[in-house]
Amino acid sequence: MAEPQYPTREGLWAKGEREESSYQAVRLGVPYRDAIERFRKATEGRDDFDPAVLLVWGTMQATAVLNILKEAERTFGEAGQEMVRKAINQAGNEAMLGFMEHCSLPDGADEVAKVSHLITGVNTVLYASLEKPWIVSKDRCEFDILWCPHQDRYTAFDCRVQRYFVEGILQAMEDRGYGGFTARVDKLIPRGADRCHFVVERRTDSGAKNPWHSYSEELGKRAL
């Protein structure tokens, strides 16, 4: 099985640039602005601060979220799973709305470009991940995740908990006029791939439920 190779010059972090000319006008926002500004001031000029400790803290929080989901499923079954799902939906929705409030996109870009640019923000800001994105057509864009904070702790099945955050993120995008797309994943680092690979495409289904949510529910049933 292939494994991720580091260091790498592939992809981009939050301050990186994409190759599309339209991305030059993109300004990625951040949620929790007051907290972030205070954090930047607290660490400014400090040689004794190691950014890796944020990964330690974040991994502890991510492990707690996963454990809460599993314990709720064991104790309360489907009702417990749905309770945790709703709470995580709310967290993802709040973060994405905060991000979009302070994000600017080029007026002249087509819809799929704007969606792809927003997703770069999701990946590099909300998920603090290393992303390699590209646009395939007016109906489809794709991206690889070359490094993710969860890749060395989560199993492939554990990654299902992150789908609930994405449900809230998709709802925020829909509320802001970008609801015509869905996503699917066909490679995962915890499953032995050298990167996670996602496809984002325009919805062609006639149902009211986003296919992303439907597959989340299928995975949820396997867990019960």
Side-chain angles (χ1 to χ4, degrees):
M1 293 185 293
E3 292 186 356
Q5 299 296 314
Y6 310 115
T8 178
R9 300 303 300 175
E10 277 193 279
L12 73 155
W13 296 99
K15 292 184 177 181
E17 292 291 336
R18 290 180 50 159
E19 63 181 19
E20 299 93 351
S21 59
S22 60
Y23 196 74
Q24 296 177 6
V26 173
R27 297 294 179 268
L28 299 181
V30 290
Y32 326 124
R33 292 184 77 182
D34 291 344
I36 289 173
E37 185 60 29
R38 187 168 289 113
F39 167 72
R40 286 174 172 159
K41 289 179 179 178
T43 57
E44 185 177 355
R46 295 294 300 256
D47 295 333
D48 58 346
F49 175 69
D50 180 3
V53 299
L54 291 179
L55 179 62
V56 175
W57 177 83
T59 299
M60 180 175 66
Q61 306 301 314
T63 301
V65 170
L66 180 62
N67 288 349
I68 289 168
L69 173 62
K70 291 179 177 180
E71 189 59 38
E73 290 170 338
R74 280 192 292 266
T75 305
F76 303 111
E78 185 177 355
Q81 183 183 83
E82 188 61 22
M83 174 189 70
V84 176
R85 180 185 186 181
K86 287 181 179 179
I88 298 174
N89 283 176
Q90 291 170 2
N93 186 263
E94 178 187 6
M96 188 59 177
L97 287 175
F99 166 79
M100 294 181 74
E101 180 181 355
H102 304 291
C103 181
S104 61
L105 299 172
D107 293 332
D110 59 23
E111 186 178 23
V112 72
K114 290 181 179 180
V115 167
S116 182
H117 297 342
L118 283 172
I119 291 171
T120 286
V122 171
N123 289 330
T124 64
V125 177
L126 301 191
Y127 273 92
S129 294
L130 179 60
E131 184 207 43
K132 181 181 179 181
W134 64 97
I135 296 171
V136 178
S137 70
K138 64 181 180 63
D139 298 315
R140 175 170 169 160
C141 59
E142 301 184 23
F143 62 88
D144 290 335
I145 296 298
L146 307 177
W147 182 88
C148 163
H150 307 304
Q151 70 184 46
D152 296 309
R153 286 286 297 173
Y154 277 11
T155 67
F157 192 64
D158 288 342
C159 291
R160 68 189 174 94
V161 70
Q162 294 301 319
R163 298 185 66 90
Y164 298 156
F165 286 98
V166 174
E167 288 176 357
I169 289 168
L170 289 172
Q171 183 61 54
M173 291 179 65
E174 181 174 344
D175 291 344
R176 294 298 179 90
Y178 299 99
F181 289 80
T182 189
R184 55 185 169 86
V185 55
D186 55 23
K187 290 182 182 179
L188 287 171
I189 294 173
R191 194 179 286 148
D194 66 342
R195 62 196 61 205
C196 300
H197 177 249
F198 290 77
V199 175
V200 179
E201 52 196 351
R202 195 178 300 276
R203 290 181 61 179
T204 58
D205 60 284
S206 57
K209 183 176 293 185
N210 192 305
W212 177 272
H213 297 56
S214 298
Y215 190 62
S216 296
E217 291 170 1
E218 181 180 329
L219 292 176
K221 290 177 182 177
R222 295 182 198 174
L224 295 174

